[in-house]
Amino acid sequence: MPRAASGQVYGTPVPPPGPEEPRLPAPRSAPPAPSVASSPVPVSASPVSSSPVSSSPASPVPTSGDPIAPAGPSFGPASPTFGADEHVSRETPGADEDDPPLAMEALRAVQILNPSGEITMPRPDHPRVLCVANQKGGVGKTTTTVNLAVALALHGNRVLVVDLDPQGNASTGLNVPHHAGVPDVYDCLIDNVPLSEVAQPVEGIPNLFCVPATIDLAGAEIELVSVVARESRLARAISAHPEKFDYVFIDCPPSLGLLTVNALCAAQEVLIPIQCEYYALEGLNQLINNINLVRQHLNPTLDVSTILLTMYDRRTRLADAVEQDVRNHFGSKVLNAVIPRNVRVSEAPSYGQSVMTYDPGSRGATSYFEAALEIAMRGVNTGGTA
Protein backbone atom coordinates (compact mmCIF):
# COMPACT_ATOMS: atom_id res chain seq x y z
CA MET A 1 0.00 0.00 0.00
CA PRO A 2 1.48 3.41 -0.87
CA ARG A 3 2.33 5.70 1.98
CA ALA A 4 0.10 8.66 2.66
CA ALA A 5 1.53 11.95 1.47
CA SER A 6 0.97 15.28 3.15
CA GLY A 7 -0.69 16.61 0.00
CA GLN A 8 -3.43 13.96 0.08
CA VAL A 9 -6.76 15.31 -1.13
CA TYR A 10 -9.52 15.60 1.46
CA GLY A 11 -12.13 12.90 1.03
CA THR A 12 -9.83 10.11 -0.16
CA PRO A 13 -9.96 6.92 1.91
CA VAL A 14 -7.81 6.98 4.97
CA PRO A 15 -5.76 3.81 5.47
CA PRO A 16 -6.93 1.67 8.40
CA PRO A 17 -5.05 2.22 11.62
CA GLY A 18 -2.55 -0.25 12.80
CA PRO A 19 0.92 -0.47 14.22
CA GLU A 20 2.29 -1.70 10.91
CA GLU A 21 1.22 1.45 9.02
CA PRO A 22 2.12 4.54 11.06
CA ARG A 23 1.41 7.97 9.62
CA LEU A 24 4.68 9.48 8.56
CA PRO A 25 5.52 13.18 8.78
CA ALA A 26 5.24 15.31 5.69
CA PRO A 27 8.41 16.01 3.74
CA ARG A 28 9.88 19.51 3.81
CA SER A 29 9.02 20.16 0.19
CA ALA A 30 5.28 19.76 0.79
CA PRO A 31 3.22 22.99 1.01
CA PRO A 32 2.25 23.66 4.66
CA ALA A 33 -1.26 25.02 3.99
CA PRO A 34 -3.14 21.84 3.04
CA SER A 35 -0.95 19.56 5.18
CA VAL A 36 -2.80 17.03 7.29
CA ALA A 37 0.08 15.32 9.00
CA SER A 38 1.68 18.59 10.07
CA SER A 39 -1.31 19.60 12.19
CA PRO A 40 -0.87 18.77 15.88
CA VAL A 41 -4.65 18.16 16.21
CA PRO A 42 -6.07 14.99 14.61
CA VAL A 43 -8.36 15.57 11.69
CA SER A 44 -10.89 12.93 12.72
CA ALA A 45 -11.83 11.01 15.83
CA SER A 46 -10.53 7.77 14.38
CA PRO A 47 -7.95 5.90 16.45
CA VAL A 48 -5.24 6.94 14.04
CA SER A 49 -3.75 9.21 16.69
CA SER A 50 -3.21 6.26 19.00
CA SER A 51 -0.44 4.96 16.81
CA PRO A 52 3.10 6.16 17.55
CA VAL A 53 3.69 9.22 15.39
CA SER A 54 7.11 10.81 15.32
CA SER A 55 5.64 14.34 14.89
CA SER A 56 3.34 14.16 17.91
CA PRO A 57 3.08 17.39 19.97
CA ALA A 58 4.25 15.52 23.01
CA SER A 59 7.60 14.88 21.39
CA PRO A 60 10.12 17.27 22.94
CA VAL A 61 12.43 17.32 19.93
CA PRO A 62 10.96 17.64 16.41
CA THR A 63 12.22 15.31 13.73
CA SER A 64 13.92 16.52 10.62
CA GLY A 65 10.69 16.12 8.64
CA ASP A 66 8.55 18.32 10.86
CA PRO A 67 7.40 21.65 9.42
CA ILE A 68 8.94 24.70 11.01
CA ALA A 69 6.42 26.59 13.15
CA PRO A 70 5.91 30.24 12.14
CA ALA A 71 7.53 32.78 14.43
CA GLY A 72 4.83 34.84 16.12
CA PRO A 73 3.74 36.07 19.52
CA SER A 74 0.50 34.02 19.65
CA PHE A 75 1.38 30.83 17.80
CA GLY A 76 3.92 28.14 18.22
CA PRO A 77 5.94 27.26 21.32
CA ALA A 78 6.64 29.77 24.07
CA SER A 79 9.55 32.13 23.50
CA PRO A 80 12.68 31.61 25.58
CA THR A 81 12.95 33.76 28.68
CA PHE A 82 15.69 36.39 28.57
CA GLY A 83 17.27 38.30 31.41
CA ALA A 84 15.61 41.32 32.98
CA ASP A 85 17.54 43.84 30.87
CA GLU A 86 18.11 41.82 27.68
CA HIS A 87 16.37 42.73 24.43
CA VAL A 88 14.14 45.30 26.12
CA SER A 89 13.19 48.40 24.17
CA ARG A 90 14.19 51.76 25.57
CA GLU A 91 10.54 52.72 25.27
CA THR A 92 9.60 50.05 27.80
CA PRO A 93 9.26 51.51 31.31
CA GLY A 94 11.51 50.09 33.96
CA ALA A 95 10.55 48.83 37.37
CA ASP A 96 10.64 52.34 38.79
CA GLU A 97 8.85 53.89 35.79
CA ASP A 98 5.85 51.65 35.46
CA ASP A 99 3.27 54.39 35.92
CA PRO A 100 0.94 54.75 32.93
CA PRO A 101 1.07 58.01 30.93
CA LEU A 102 -2.30 59.18 32.25
CA ALA A 103 -1.11 58.77 35.82
CA MET A 104 2.06 60.75 35.10
CA GLU A 105 0.00 63.51 33.45
CA ALA A 106 -2.33 63.64 36.44
CA LEU A 107 0.67 63.85 38.77
CA ARG A 108 2.07 66.79 36.79
CA ALA A 109 -1.32 68.51 36.84
CA VAL A 110 -1.53 68.25 40.63
CA GLN A 111 2.02 69.56 40.96
CA ILE A 112 1.29 72.57 38.74
CA LEU A 113 -2.15 73.46 40.12
CA ASN A 114 -0.95 72.93 43.69
CA PRO A 115 -4.46 72.76 45.20
CA SER A 116 -3.16 72.12 48.71
CA GLY A 117 -0.68 74.99 48.61
CA GLU A 118 2.03 72.77 50.06
CA ILE A 119 4.41 73.18 47.10
CA THR A 120 6.02 76.62 47.08
CA MET A 121 8.63 78.29 44.94
CA PRO A 122 11.30 80.34 46.71
CA ARG A 123 10.40 83.98 47.21
CA PRO A 124 12.97 86.72 46.47
CA ASP A 125 14.37 88.95 49.19
CA HIS A 126 13.11 92.08 47.43
CA PRO A 127 10.54 92.74 44.69
CA ARG A 128 11.67 91.75 41.21
CA VAL A 129 10.36 93.86 38.33
CA LEU A 130 10.74 92.09 34.99
CA CYS A 131 10.07 93.71 31.64
CA VAL A 132 9.06 91.14 29.00
CA ALA A 133 10.19 92.84 25.80
CA ASN A 134 10.89 92.08 22.17
CA GLN A 135 10.02 94.47 19.37
CA LYS A 136 9.16 91.56 17.07
CA GLY A 137 5.54 90.51 17.34
CA GLY A 138 4.32 86.96 17.77
CA VAL A 139 7.28 85.62 19.73
CA GLY A 140 5.30 84.79 22.87
CA LYS A 141 5.69 87.86 25.10
CA THR A 142 2.10 87.91 26.36
CA THR A 143 1.87 84.12 26.63
CA THR A 144 5.11 84.03 28.59
CA THR A 145 4.02 86.85 30.89
CA VAL A 146 0.66 85.27 31.69
CA ASN A 147 1.87 81.72 32.26
CA LEU A 148 4.95 82.64 34.31
CA ALA A 149 2.83 84.91 36.49
CA VAL A 150 0.22 82.21 37.08
CA ALA A 151 2.85 79.56 37.81
CA LEU A 152 4.56 81.75 40.40
CA ALA A 153 1.27 82.85 41.98
CA LEU A 154 0.05 79.27 42.32
CA HIS A 155 3.17 78.45 44.32
CA GLY A 156 3.16 81.07 47.03
CA ASN A 157 4.38 84.28 45.35
CA ARG A 158 2.53 87.60 45.15
CA VAL A 159 2.54 88.66 41.51
CA LEU A 160 1.39 91.78 39.63
CA VAL A 161 0.97 91.83 35.85
CA VAL A 162 1.02 95.23 34.14
CA ASP A 163 -0.49 95.03 30.66
CA LEU A 164 1.29 97.75 28.69
CA ASP A 165 0.17 96.54 25.26
CA PRO A 166 -2.82 98.45 23.78
CA GLN A 167 -4.12 95.16 22.36
CA GLY A 168 -4.83 94.02 25.92
CA ASN A 169 -4.01 90.37 25.29
CA ALA A 170 -2.55 89.82 28.75
CA SER A 171 -5.80 91.08 30.25
CA THR A 172 -7.70 88.64 28.04
CA GLY A 173 -5.49 85.73 29.06
CA LEU A 174 -6.12 86.47 32.74
CA ASN A 175 -9.88 87.01 32.17
CA VAL A 176 -9.72 90.60 33.43
CA PRO A 177 -12.24 93.09 31.95
CA HIS A 178 -10.54 95.62 29.69
CA HIS A 179 -13.32 97.15 27.62
CA ALA A 180 -13.63 100.88 27.09
CA GLY A 181 -14.35 102.75 30.30
CA VAL A 182 -12.54 100.32 32.62
CA PRO A 183 -9.79 102.00 34.70
CA ASP A 184 -6.53 100.92 33.17
CA VAL A 185 -2.83 101.66 32.99
CA TYR A 186 -3.52 104.65 30.72
CA ASP A 187 -5.03 106.46 33.72
CA CYS A 188 -1.87 105.79 35.70
CA LEU A 189 0.43 107.13 33.00
CA ILE A 190 -1.56 110.20 31.95
CA ASP A 191 -3.73 111.15 34.94
CA ASN A 192 -1.50 109.92 37.79
CA VAL A 193 -4.18 107.55 39.13
CA PRO A 194 -2.66 105.27 41.80
CA LEU A 195 -1.89 101.79 40.60
CA SER A 196 -3.78 100.28 43.55
CA GLU A 197 -7.04 101.76 42.21
CA VAL A 198 -6.54 100.18 38.82
CA ALA A 199 -5.20 96.72 39.68
CA GLN A 200 -7.79 93.93 39.67
CA PRO A 201 -7.52 90.51 41.33
CA VAL A 202 -7.44 87.57 38.93
CA GLU A 203 -10.34 85.21 39.48
CA GLY A 204 -9.35 81.73 40.64
CA ILE A 205 -5.66 82.58 41.13
CA PRO A 206 -4.76 83.72 44.64
CA ASN A 207 -2.05 86.37 45.04
CA LEU A 208 -2.26 87.41 41.38
CA PHE A 209 -3.32 90.91 40.28
CA CYS A 210 -3.51 92.54 36.86
CA VAL A 211 -3.46 96.14 35.67
CA PRO A 212 -5.49 95.96 32.44
CA ALA A 213 -4.94 97.84 29.20
CA THR A 214 -7.72 99.29 27.03
CA ILE A 215 -7.71 100.78 23.57
CA ASP A 216 -7.11 104.20 25.15
CA LEU A 217 -3.49 103.18 25.65
CA ALA A 218 -2.94 103.42 21.89
CA GLY A 219 -2.86 107.22 22.16
CA ALA A 220 -0.68 107.32 25.25
CA GLU A 221 2.59 107.60 23.33
CA ILE A 222 1.42 110.78 21.60
CA GLU A 223 0.15 112.30 24.84
CA LEU A 224 3.34 111.42 26.71
CA VAL A 225 5.51 113.43 24.32
CA SER A 226 4.82 116.71 26.13
CA VAL A 227 4.74 115.28 29.67
CA VAL A 228 7.60 116.02 32.06
CA ALA A 229 9.68 112.95 32.99
CA ARG A 230 7.67 110.92 30.51
CA GLU A 231 10.06 107.95 30.65
CA SER A 232 9.61 107.33 34.38
CA ARG A 233 5.82 107.60 34.73
CA LEU A 234 5.33 103.86 35.13
CA ALA A 235 8.30 103.49 37.50
CA ARG A 236 6.80 106.03 39.90
CA ALA A 237 3.39 104.35 39.75
CA ILE A 238 4.83 100.93 40.62
CA SER A 239 7.03 102.21 43.45
CA ALA A 240 4.07 104.09 44.97
CA HIS A 241 1.93 100.96 45.24
CA PRO A 242 1.25 100.34 48.94
CA GLU A 243 1.44 96.54 48.69
CA LYS A 244 4.74 94.88 47.93
CA PHE A 245 4.83 92.13 45.37
CA ASP A 246 7.41 89.42 44.89
CA TYR A 247 7.23 89.74 41.11
CA VAL A 248 6.01 92.46 38.76
CA PHE A 249 5.75 91.44 35.10
CA ILE A 250 5.36 94.20 32.50
CA ASP A 251 4.02 93.00 29.17
CA CYS A 252 5.40 95.33 26.49
CA PRO A 253 3.98 96.12 23.05
CA PRO A 254 5.86 94.91 19.95
CA SER A 255 7.64 98.22 19.42
CA LEU A 256 10.45 100.36 20.81
CA GLY A 257 8.34 103.45 21.54
CA LEU A 258 7.66 105.40 24.72
CA LEU A 259 5.60 102.61 26.28
CA THR A 260 8.48 100.17 26.00
CA VAL A 261 10.91 102.83 27.26
CA ASN A 262 8.64 103.35 30.29
CA ALA A 263 8.75 99.63 30.97
CA LEU A 264 12.54 99.51 30.65
CA CYS A 265 12.89 102.41 33.07
CA ALA A 266 10.57 100.79 35.61
CA ALA A 267 12.19 97.34 35.47
CA GLN A 268 15.32 95.92 37.01
CA GLU A 269 15.53 92.96 34.66
CA VAL A 270 14.62 92.26 31.05
CA LEU A 271 13.18 88.91 30.00
CA ILE A 272 13.42 88.40 26.25
CA PRO A 273 11.33 85.63 24.65
CA ILE A 274 12.93 84.46 21.41
CA GLN A 275 11.05 82.42 18.86
CA CYS A 276 13.15 79.60 17.45
CA GLU A 277 13.20 81.04 13.93
CA TYR A 278 15.61 83.20 11.98
CA TYR A 279 13.49 86.36 11.87
CA ALA A 280 13.44 86.49 15.66
CA LEU A 281 17.22 86.87 15.70
CA GLU A 282 17.33 89.74 13.22
CA GLY A 283 15.77 92.37 15.47
CA LEU A 284 17.48 91.17 18.63
CA ASN A 285 20.54 93.30 18.03
CA GLN A 286 18.47 96.50 17.86
CA LEU A 287 16.66 95.58 21.07
CA ILE A 288 19.95 95.04 22.89
CA ASN A 289 21.21 98.43 21.65
CA ASN A 290 18.09 100.17 22.97
CA ILE A 291 18.45 98.44 26.32
CA ASN A 292 22.05 99.63 26.51
CA LEU A 293 20.96 103.21 25.77
CA VAL A 294 18.34 103.09 28.54
CA ARG A 295 20.95 101.68 30.90
CA GLN A 296 23.40 104.47 30.12
CA HIS A 297 21.00 107.40 30.35
CA LEU A 298 17.90 106.42 32.32
CA ASN A 299 18.19 103.18 34.34
CA PRO A 300 21.71 102.13 35.34
CA THR A 301 20.48 98.99 37.14
CA LEU A 302 18.76 97.52 34.09
CA ASP A 303 20.07 94.11 33.08
CA VAL A 304 19.15 91.51 30.48
CA SER A 305 18.83 88.68 32.95
CA THR A 306 16.74 86.02 31.21
CA ILE A 307 16.37 84.63 27.69
CA LEU A 308 13.54 82.18 27.04
CA LEU A 309 13.29 80.14 23.86
CA THR A 310 9.70 79.75 22.70
CA MET A 311 7.81 77.91 19.95
CA TYR A 312 10.50 75.27 19.74
CA ASP A 313 9.76 72.64 17.08
CA ARG A 314 11.98 69.64 17.69
CA ARG A 315 11.18 68.23 14.23
CA THR A 316 13.22 70.92 12.46
CA ARG A 317 16.94 71.50 12.31
CA LEU A 318 16.34 75.24 12.21
CA ALA A 319 15.06 75.21 15.80
CA ASP A 320 18.20 73.42 16.95
CA ALA A 321 20.40 75.86 15.04
CA VAL A 322 18.67 78.91 16.55
CA GLU A 323 18.90 77.41 20.02
CA GLN A 324 22.62 76.79 19.66
CA ASP A 325 23.25 80.31 18.35
CA VAL A 326 21.33 81.90 21.21
CA ARG A 327 23.04 79.76 23.85
CA ASN A 328 26.47 80.44 22.41
CA HIS A 329 25.85 84.21 22.41
CA PHE A 330 24.03 84.69 25.74
CA GLY A 331 25.45 81.78 27.70
CA SER A 332 23.95 81.17 31.13
CA LYS A 333 21.27 83.84 30.65
CA VAL A 334 19.31 81.38 28.51
CA LEU A 335 16.96 79.23 30.57
CA ASN A 336 17.39 75.48 30.34
CA ALA A 337 13.62 75.15 29.97
CA VAL A 338 12.43 75.53 26.38
CA ILE A 339 8.80 76.20 25.46
CA PRO A 340 7.65 73.83 22.69
CA ARG A 341 4.96 74.41 20.13
CA ASN A 342 1.82 73.16 21.82
CA VAL A 343 -1.77 73.63 20.71
CA ARG A 344 -2.97 73.83 24.32
CA VAL A 345 -0.99 77.03 24.81
CA SER A 346 -2.82 78.58 21.87
CA GLU A 347 -6.24 77.33 22.92
CA ALA A 348 -6.11 78.57 26.52
CA PRO A 349 -6.67 82.34 25.85
CA SER A 350 -9.93 81.61 24.03
CA TYR A 351 -11.27 80.33 27.36
CA GLY A 352 -9.88 83.27 29.33
CA GLN A 353 -7.30 81.06 31.02
CA SER A 354 -3.61 80.39 31.06
CA VAL A 355 -2.39 77.00 29.96
CA MET A 356 -1.47 76.32 33.59
CA THR A 357 -5.15 76.12 34.50
CA TYR A 358 -6.59 75.14 31.12
CA ASP A 359 -4.55 71.94 30.71
CA PRO A 360 -2.01 71.62 33.54
CA GLY A 361 -0.84 68.22 32.31
CA SER A 362 0.15 69.39 28.83
CA ARG A 363 3.69 69.83 27.61
CA GLY A 364 3.23 73.59 27.38
CA ALA A 365 2.14 73.89 31.00
CA THR A 366 4.98 71.67 32.18
CA SER A 367 7.54 73.71 30.26
CA TYR A 368 6.30 77.04 31.63
CA PHE A 369 6.25 75.60 35.13
CA GLU A 370 9.89 74.53 34.75
CA ALA A 371 10.79 77.98 33.41
CA ALA A 372 9.08 79.71 36.34
CA LEU A 373 10.84 77.45 38.82
CA GLU A 374 14.17 78.12 37.16
CA ILE A 375 13.60 81.90 37.30
CA ALA A 376 12.71 81.65 40.99
CA MET A 377 15.76 79.51 41.81
CA ARG A 378 18.11 81.77 39.87
CA GLY A 379 16.76 84.82 41.67
CA VAL A 380 17.44 83.28 45.06
CA ASN A 381 20.89 81.99 44.12
CA THR A 382 22.07 85.34 42.72
CA GLY A 383 20.48 87.64 45.26
CA GLY A 384 17.39 88.67 43.38
CA THR A 385 18.52 88.74 39.75
CA ALA A 386 17.88 85.75 37.55
Side-chain angles (χ1 to χ4, degrees):
M1 181 179 293
R3 293 181 296 179
S6 62
Q8 182 179 8
V9 180
Y10 288 103
T12 56
V14 180
E20 70 280 357
E21 291 291 339
R23 297 180 65 181
L24 298 179
R28 285 184 180 272
S29 60
S35 175
V36 175
S38 61
S39 173
V41 181
V43 175
S44 64
S46 63
V48 177
S49 59
S50 62
S51 61
V53 182
S54 60
S55 61
S56 172
S59 177
V61 181
T63 61
S64 60
D66 286 336
I68 301 176
S74 303
F75 307 98
S79 302
T81 303
F82 296 100
D85 297 331
E86 287 188 273
H87 305 288
V88 178
S89 171
R90 286 179 293 179
E91 303 290 336
T92 305
D96 54 344
E97 302 175 352
D98 54 354
D99 292 331
L102 286 178
M104 297 300 296
E105 183 175 344
L107 182 63
R108 290 196 304 266
V110 172
Q111 182 185 23
I112 291 174
L113 288 177
N114 194 23
S116 63
E118 297 177 355
I119 306 174
T120 59
M121 293 184 184
R123 301 176 64 180
D125 297 333
H126 61 275
R128 296 177 60 186
V129 183
L130 293 94
C131 169
V132 184
N134 193 332
Q135 82 274 14
K136 185 183 183 303
V139 298
K141 293 186 296 296
T142 299
T143 303
T144 297
T145 301
V146 169
N147 289 292
L148 290 180
V150 172
L152 290 167
L154 287 174
H155 294 82
N157 287 269
R158 290 181 56 83
V159 183
L160 174 67
V161 174
V162 179
D163 191 356
L164 209 60
D165 188 350
Q167 300 176 84
N169 290 335
S171 306
T172 301
L174 295 174
N175 199 23
V176 174
H178 61 102
H179 52 81
V182 173
D184 67 331
V185 69
Y186 171 85
D187 300 322
C188 300
L189 296 176
I190 304 301
D191 300 329
N192 291 323
V193 175
L195 206 63
S196 57
E197 298 181 10
V198 178
Q200 303 181 30
V202 177
E203 182 181 359
I205 310 295
N207 302 322
L208 179 58
F209 299 84
C210 176
V211 178
T214 65
I215 194 62
D216 297 337
L217 192 60
E221 290 196 353
I222 299 176
E223 298 182 43
L224 283 173
V225 171
S226 58
V227 175
V228 178
R230 57 191 179 185
E231 301 90 356
S232 58
R233 306 283 287 188
L234 182 60
R236 291 204 304 268
I238 293 176
S239 60
H241 197 284
E243 296 185 32
K244 297 303 178 184
F245 296 93
D246 297 314
Y247 291 89
V248 177
F249 288 95
I250 307 174
D251 182 31
C252 294
S255 66
L256 297 175
L258 271 177
L259 293 177
T260 301
V261 172
N262 261 270
L264 294 175
C265 291
Q268 305 158 355
E269 310 171 37
V270 181
L271 190 157
I272 305 177
I274 298 179
Q275 184 182 6
C276 292
E277 292 185 3
Y278 176 73
Y279 284 150
L281 297 178
E282 275 196 324
L284 194 59
N285 188 37
Q286 185 61 40
L287 176 63
I288 298 299
N289 292 337
N290 281 29
I291 293 174
N292 292 333
L293 289 175
V294 172
R295 183 190 299 117
Q296 294 173 8
H297 301 286
L298 299 171
N299 187 5
T301 62
L302 186 64
D303 179 45
V304 179
S305 63
T306 310
I307 306 292
L308 178 62
L309 295 170
T310 63
M311 304 181 190
Y312 178 84
D313 191 349
R314 59 183 177 180
R315 300 171 298 177
T316 63
R317 296 182 180 178
L318 175 62
D320 290 333
V322 172
E323 180 184 7
Q324 293 303 320
D325 289 344
V326 172
R327 292 191 184 278
N328 291 337
H329 187 270
F330 290 100
S332 60
K333 293 183 178 182
V334 185
L335 295 180
N336 295 324
V338 176
I339 309 303
R341 283 193 179 273
N342 185 246
V343 68
R344 295 301 190 187
V345 177
S346 303
E347 289 175 354
S350 62
Y351 293 89
Q353 300 182 48
S354 66
V355 73
M356 316 298 292
T357 55
Y358 175 69
D359 190 356
S362 62
R363 290 190 304 121
T366 304
S367 300
Y368 271 116
F369 172 78
E370 294 173 354
L373 180 60
E374 193 172 350
I375 289 174
M377 295 301 298
R378 286 188 177 191
V380 171
N381 294 336
T382 58
T385 303

